[in-house]
């Protein structure tokens, strides 16, 4: 059974905005396919869309804080909003790294529904470096060069061996749902609402990809399948565009599109107005992304000129790639990613400073971004 439009919907009014949005999105996707900065653009888009998702929810998250939090280099205790933005970032990466149709499958939806409430913890041993890392592989021996260790020396040797062993990260138990009614509405039936949304999604199979995505997103915001993680709806709509072949090179940043669009959703808007607003947001986003792609391409050409004539083992070209892929670069972040000293990272950043913009205006704890 196909989707039935209300009688008040005028297809003549929908035709022009959806055709313009479809053309703009297709042109940008084709440009991204052959662009030398395509990978960098995709990595940056994840960060921008995560911040835009919190902005649409009425929260403000600094892009610099999100980049540093993702790298594990927070300068302060992460706020609740920053943790939520990081959850959006991880979910976007998860959808983008999987098969194009995975997010809309039963397994994918079941997995993503829990992505906003708990993080996937990886149980990895934390080993020390240098002598401590080598000492972790040693077991307490009863003999040392033929001499029997007894008494206090044996106890000290056993203590040193035990404390130098890898400390295993214990995977935290998933947080329990609060059924007291203070956080979650007791009358909110997630299963029924989610089944209703999936039924609406199944009726859009015969529609064009952009129209199907707009209806799926509108149904998500009307039905509200999840009490928390409402930001998941635009990600699923972007996954729908990708699974239908409308976008092949990236996961569309719908949150960023709605942030840049003039339209703001209100309760009195009719169905037709909401669809037109979706198409306009897609077109606005595609044009803004095309300008961003041009900016990154030009910045890459200017930065690579600084790498000419250098030694083959120079890390300058890797720093250029890092500056393009990350919206914000700091000296500790560059030193960590390039595996160089902070003094070497500072020297290389100073050499690129003519094409980088310092964001903080401070003499210490500075951050740079591509002009």
């Amino acid at each position: 059974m196909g989707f039935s439009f209300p009688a008040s919907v005028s297809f003549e009014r929908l035709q022009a905005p959806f055709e313009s949005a479809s053309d703009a999105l297709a042109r940008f996707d084709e440009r991204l396919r052959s662009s030398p900065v395509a990978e960098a653009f995709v990595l940056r888009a994840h960060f921008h869309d995560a911040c835009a998702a919190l902005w649409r929810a009425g929260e403000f998250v600094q892009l610099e804080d999100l980049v540093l939090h993702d790298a594990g280099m927070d300068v302060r205790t992460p706020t609740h909003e920053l943790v939520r933005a990081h959850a959006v970032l991880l979910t976007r990466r998860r959808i983008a790294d999987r098969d194009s149709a995975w997010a809309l499958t039963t397994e994918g939806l079941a997995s993503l529904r829990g992505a906003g409430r708990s993080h996937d913890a990886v149980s990895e041993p934390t080993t020390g470096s240098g002598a401590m890392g080598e000492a972790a592989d040693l077991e307490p021996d009863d003999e040392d060069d033929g001499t029997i260790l007894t008494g206090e020396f044996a106890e000290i040797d056993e203590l040193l061996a035990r404390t130098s062993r890898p400390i295993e990260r214990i995977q935290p138990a998933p947080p329990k749902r609060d059924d007291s009614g203070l956080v979650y509405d007791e009358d909110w039936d997630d299963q029924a609402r989610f089944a209703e949304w999936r039924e609406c999604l199944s009726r859009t199979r015969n529609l064009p990809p952009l129209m199907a995505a707009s209806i799926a997103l509108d149904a998500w915001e009307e039905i509200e399948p999840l009490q928390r993680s409402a930001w998941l709806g635009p990600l699923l709509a972007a996954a729908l565009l990708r699974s239908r072949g409308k976008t092949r090179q990236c996961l569309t940043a719908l949150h960023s599109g709605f942030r840049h669009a003039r339209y703001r959703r209100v309760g009195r808007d009719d169905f037709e107005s909401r669809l037109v607003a979706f198409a306009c947001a897609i077109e606005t986003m595609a044009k803004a992304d095309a300008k961003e792609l041009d900016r990154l391409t030009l910045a890459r050409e200017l930065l690579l000129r600084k790498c000419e004539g250098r030694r083959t083992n120079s890390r300058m070209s890797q720093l250029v790639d890092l500056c393009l892929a990350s919206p914000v670069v700091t000296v500790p972040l560059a030193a960590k990613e390039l595996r160089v000293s902070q003094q070497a990272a500072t020297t290389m950043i100073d050499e690129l400073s003519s094409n980088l913009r310092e964001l903080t205006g401070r003499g210490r704890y500075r951050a740079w971004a591509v002009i």
Side-chain angles (χ1 to χ4, degrees):
M1 181 179 178
F3 185 83
S4 58
F5 288 87
S8 59
V9 174
S10 172
F11 290 97
E12 294 181 356
R13 186 187 174 194
L14 295 178
Q15 183 178 1
F18 271 91
E19 285 185 356
S20 299
S22 180
D23 292 344
L25 190 60
R27 284 194 298 268
F28 170 73
D29 192 68
E30 180 60 23
R31 286 193 56 194
L32 192 62
R33 182 184 64 84
S34 57
S35 175
V37 295
E39 183 178 357
F41 175 85
V42 171
L43 295 176
R44 297 169 70 94
H46 291 331
F47 287 102
H48 287 287
D49 198 57
C51 291
L54 268 293
W55 180 87
R56 294 189 66 208
E59 306 290 348
F60 179 70
V61 175
Q62 286 279 4
L63 184 62
E64 302 85 39
D65 293 341
L66 181 58
V67 173
L68 295 178
H69 180 70
D70 181 62
M73 306 178 67
D74 298 278
V75 296
R76 61 181 67 88
T77 303
T79 62
H80 177 65
E81 293 78 16
L82 181 58
V83 173
R84 290 178 60 196
H86 194 239
V88 181
L89 177 65
L90 295 180
T91 305
R92 275 191 59 87
R93 289 174 176 170
R94 192 176 183 186
I95 295 175
D97 293 340
R98 295 295 188 95
D99 183 73
S100 59
W102 173 80
L104 298 176
T105 61
T106 303
E107 177 186 357
L109 289 173
S111 179
L112 293 175
R113 286 174 62 185
R117 289 188 290 271
S118 63
H119 302 287
D120 294 334
V122 180
S123 179
E124 296 179 350
T126 304
T127 58
S129 59
M132 293 299 292
E134 296 176 358
D137 298 331
L138 299 178
E139 295 293 337
D141 296 331
D142 293 334
E143 295 185 358
D144 184 10
D145 295 334
T147 304
I148 300 177
L149 298 177
T150 58
E152 296 180 357
F153 293 100
E155 294 178 359
I156 293 175
D157 184 71
E158 182 180 358
L159 177 62
L160 291 175
R162 186 171 64 252
T163 55
S164 62
R165 292 172 185 170
I167 302 176
E168 296 183 358
R169 293 180 182 178
I170 302 176
Q171 183 174 355
K176 295 182 180 180
R177 179 185 173 94
D178 183 8
D179 294 328
S180 62
L182 298 176
V183 178
Y184 293 93
D185 187 356
E186 298 178 354
D187 298 330
W188 199 288
D189 191 347
D190 285 354
Q191 297 292 341
R193 289 171 179 259
F194 212 83
E196 182 182 357
W197 179 78
R198 292 199 64 184
E199 181 182 358
C200 180
L201 179 66
S202 64
R203 295 200 302 265
T204 62
R205 294 176 181 175
N206 297 328
L207 296 175
L210 203 59
M211 180 68 72
S214 64
I215 294 176
L217 180 57
D218 184 77
W220 178 278
E221 296 180 344
E222 287 292 319
I223 299 173
E224 297 182 352
L226 302 178
Q227 292 190 63
R228 311 286 292 273
S229 307
W231 47 261
L232 186 58
L235 300 188
L236 295 178
L240 176 60
L241 290 173
R242 187 162 163 255
S243 65
R244 297 282 295 273
K246 189 61 183 177
T247 56
R248 300 178 182 271
Q249 309 305 320
C250 68
L251 188 68
T252 307
L254 293 181
H255 285 295
S256 298
F258 280 108
R259 181 176 184 177
H260 292 102
R262 297 180 179 179
Y263 172 78
R264 297 293 178 266
R265 184 185 178 92
V266 293
R268 62 179 178 271
D269 292 336
D270 57 6
F271 182 67
E272 182 180 336
S273 299
R274 298 196 299 266
L275 294 186
V276 172
F278 177 86
C280 294
I282 288 290
E283 184 177 5
T284 301
M285 178 211 63
K287 292 180 178 180
D289 288 348
K291 293 180 180 179
E292 177 70 8
L293 196 64
D294 292 336
R295 188 180 71 88
L296 291 179
T297 303
L298 179 59
R300 178 178 178 271
E301 295 178 359
L302 296 176
L303 291 172
L304 287 180
R305 292 178 183 177
K306 304 285 187 178
C307 303
E308 297 177 355
R310 295 187 176 273
R311 299 189 303 269
T312 55
N313 61 346
S314 175
R315 301 293 181 90
M316 185 68 76
S317 60
Q318 299 179 23
L319 178 60
V320 170
D321 294 337
L322 178 62
C323 291
L324 293 174
S326 177
V328 177
V329 175
T330 63
V331 170
L333 177 61
K336 176 183 177 182
E337 295 295 330
L338 303 182
R339 297 182 179 180
V340 297
S341 65
Q342 293 197 14
Q343 181 61 42
T346 302
T347 302
M348 288 190 293
I349 290 177
D350 288 340
E351 294 182 13
L352 297 178
S353 59
S354 60
N355 300 112
L356 298 178
R357 179 178 59 189
E358 208 285 318
L359 302 177
T360 63
R362 299 192 299 258
R364 301 178 61 188
Y365 306 108
R366 296 181 296 170
W368 290 265
V370 173
I371 297 178

